[in-house]
Amino acid sequence: MKINNFIIDMYYKDIEEKLDCKTFDELLGKKYIIGKQFGVGNFSRMKIEDGLEVSTLNINNTEMSFDNRTYDDDILELGYCLKGSTKVTALPYNKVFVLNKGDIFIYRTLNDVEYFKFKHNNCKIISVHMNFDAIKNAINPIWEDKILLNWEKYTSYIFKGEILISEKASQPIKKVVEEIESISLDTVLDYIKLKYKTIEFMVTFFQEKSFENAQVKENDIALKAMEIIDSNLKTPPSVKELADRLNITIYKLQEEFKNATKCTVYEYIKKMRTDKAKYFLESTNMSILEVANEIGYENPSKFASAFKKYNKITPFKYRKIYKVR
């Protein structure tokens, strides 16, 4: 089944007409040299396979616009800015995105933006366009619904309601893009290398995002665990009870809690109890025994020992120094 990138076709047709481009056929696609009256530079478009393209923009001080209405292609653009900067304005919302040298960005064509305005300043960008129909065609129908649902959840996490996301690229991303830029495309082996590096570029980005997503989930679990502990500091749940409430294994709770907080659940409870004790010692007239009982210690000597471990001073001396008069 042939996959059409209609919105990309229209984008390059628009460029050709509005910037009075001269075009030249190349091994995998076409090159567009913009008219001198519009600045200096060029665009190139290379088809790797159905639904997968690589494009390069290399222009100086040029402004252009694109009517984004009526298109419903589901295409992701993943790009890297090699030099200069580009200002992108999305209308009618007047939302501005700025891409600078060293930035990686991702954009999805399914959105409600009507027009885009671009202002390029000595800019060079390499982009990969991936049509989601290509992914659908490669999926076994048995798994299609589940995989498509997971993909929607994943992209929703990446975009978080935005239409374009940009950030500083990691060193692995920069390395792959530089390798893509250096490919000359003289032989079949060059084509194979370009295809491999294009896929590596996308995979590297999505793997990094997957890791970030995993980190967010770890932090979410740790935050929920901390909220439960903080609300029940006098009689905190055991690790098993905490894991049961969060519907995860004890091992997973301990692992993710340690990754997020750099301490164990038990250490966190002791630290929070000590911090609360400091507040009572500083701000109230409660006795040492009352403070100990309030934070869950029935034995005042155990409380004093735990307090001294974290503060290098006994509760009595701490109060003497820091009590608010």
Side-chain angles (χ1 to χ4, degrees):
M1 175 183 173
K2 182 173 176 59
I3 297 168
N4 294 314
N5 290 341
F6 189 64
I7 189 171
I8 302 178
D9 294 337
M10 292 301 100
Y11 172 72
Y12 279 102
K13 183 178 180 181
D14 205 49
I15 287 173
E16 185 175 352
E17 292 175 353
K18 288 182 178 177
L19 300 182
D20 192 26
C21 294
K22 292 182 179 179
T23 63
F24 301 90
D25 290 332
E26 296 188 316
L27 183 61
L28 297 178
K30 186 175 287 188
K31 190 165 189 174
Y32 302 76
I33 310 296
I34 66 175
K36 291 182 179 179
Q37 67 271 37
F38 297 104
V40 177
N42 60 78
F43 299 80
S44 69
R45 180 184 181 187
M46 296 176 286
K47 180 178 177 182
I48 306 299
E49 59 181 37
D50 261 4
L52 184 63
E53 299 188 8
V54 177
S55 66
T56 303
L57 171 157
N58 190 6
I59 54 180
N60 185 26
N61 297 328
T62 301
E63 296 186 26
M64 54 183 290
S65 62
F66 180 67
D67 186 339
N68 194 56
R69 293 172 295 182
T70 73
Y71 302 116
D72 59 1
D73 307 59
D74 191 0
I75 296 173
L76 278 182
E77 178 183 4
L78 181 63
Y80 177 81
C81 185
L82 287 151
K83 70 174 183 179
S85 65
T86 288
K87 179 182 177 182
V88 183
T89 305
L91 302 169
Y93 311 108
N94 213 34
K95 184 70 180 287
V96 176
F97 306 91
V98 178
L99 308 174
N100 294 306
K101 178 182 177 181
D103 286 349
I104 189 170
F105 67 90
I106 185 168
Y107 162 71
R108 192 170 186 177
T109 58
L110 284 181
N111 57 64
D112 57 355
V113 174
E114 295 180 4
Y115 289 92
F116 284 106
K117 288 184 177 180
F118 305 92
K119 186 173 183 179
H120 305 295
N121 182 19
N122 192 29
C123 185
K124 184 172 186 180
I125 291 175
I126 289 181
S127 296
V128 175
H129 296 94
M130 178 180 66
N131 192 318
F132 194 49
D133 286 338
I135 298 177
K136 292 178 183 177
N137 290 345
I139 297 172
N140 186 316
I142 296 174
W143 305 107
E144 183 172 337
D145 289 344
K146 183 177 181 179
I147 290 175
L148 296 185
L149 181 60
N150 287 341
W151 176 258
E152 286 301 324
K153 288 181 179 178
Y154 184 61
T155 52
S156 294
Y157 159 73
I158 292 176
F159 285 101
K160 296 183 178 71
E162 292 286 0
I163 59 168
L164 186 150
I165 301 295
S166 66
E167 59 191 43
K168 286 299 176 186
S170 66
Q171 195 56 43
I173 290 287
K174 293 178 183 179
K175 184 175 183 296
V176 176
V177 174
E178 288 168 358
E179 290 172 345
I180 291 174
E181 185 187 19
S182 68
I183 298 172
S184 58
L185 282 181
D186 295 323
T187 68
V188 173
L189 289 178
D190 294 329
Y191 162 75
I192 294 171
K193 184 177 180 182
L194 176 62
K195 180 176 178 179
Y196 168 74
K197 288 297 175 182
T198 299
I199 294 171
E200 184 182 358
F201 175 45
M202 294 188 295
V203 169
T204 302
F205 173 79
F206 288 122
Q207 281 181 332
E208 290 180 354
K209 283 298 173 185
S210 293
F211 177 75
E212 287 179 16
N213 194 17
Q215 293 295 96
V216 168
K217 288 178 179 177
E218 286 181 3
N219 288 337
D220 284 347
I221 288 173
L223 284 171
K224 288 175 183 176
M226 287 188 284
E227 286 174 5
I228 293 170
I229 292 168
D230 293 346
S231 300
N232 302 274
L233 202 55
K234 190 172 182 178
T235 55
S238 66
V239 174
K240 183 181 184 308
E241 290 169 339
L242 197 55
D244 288 343
R245 288 182 64 171
L246 295 170
N247 197 30
I248 59 174
T249 65
I250 292 175
Y251 174 80
K252 191 67 175 174
L253 169 62
Q254 291 173 324
E255 179 185 45
E256 296 188 359
F257 196 92
K258 185 72 176 285
N259 287 341
T261 66
K262 309 306 178 188
C263 67
T264 66
V265 173
Y266 182 58
E267 289 168 343
Y268 177 80
I269 291 171
K270 289 199 295 184
K271 185 177 184 303
M272 289 301 101
R273 282 177 161 179
T274 301
D275 288 347
K276 195 168 184 179
K278 287 164 67 174
Y279 167 77
F280 289 135
L281 293 169
E282 293 171 12
S283 308
T284 75
N285 292 317
M286 294 167 63
S287 68
I288 302 295
L289 177 60
E290 287 173 328
V291 172
N293 290 336
E294 185 63 28
I295 63 172
Y297 285 94
E298 294 180 2
N299 187 326
S301 64
K302 285 187 176 181
F303 162 60
S305 176
F307 189 93
K308 188 174 181 180
K309 178 181 177 181
Y310 284 97
N311 298 284
K312 311 302 180 186
I313 191 173
T314 66
F316 178 79
K317 287 185 178 179
Y318 183 90
R319 165 167 274 173
K320 200 169 183 180
I321 297 170
Y322 296 104
K323 177 75 166 71
V324 178
R325 305 300 175 186

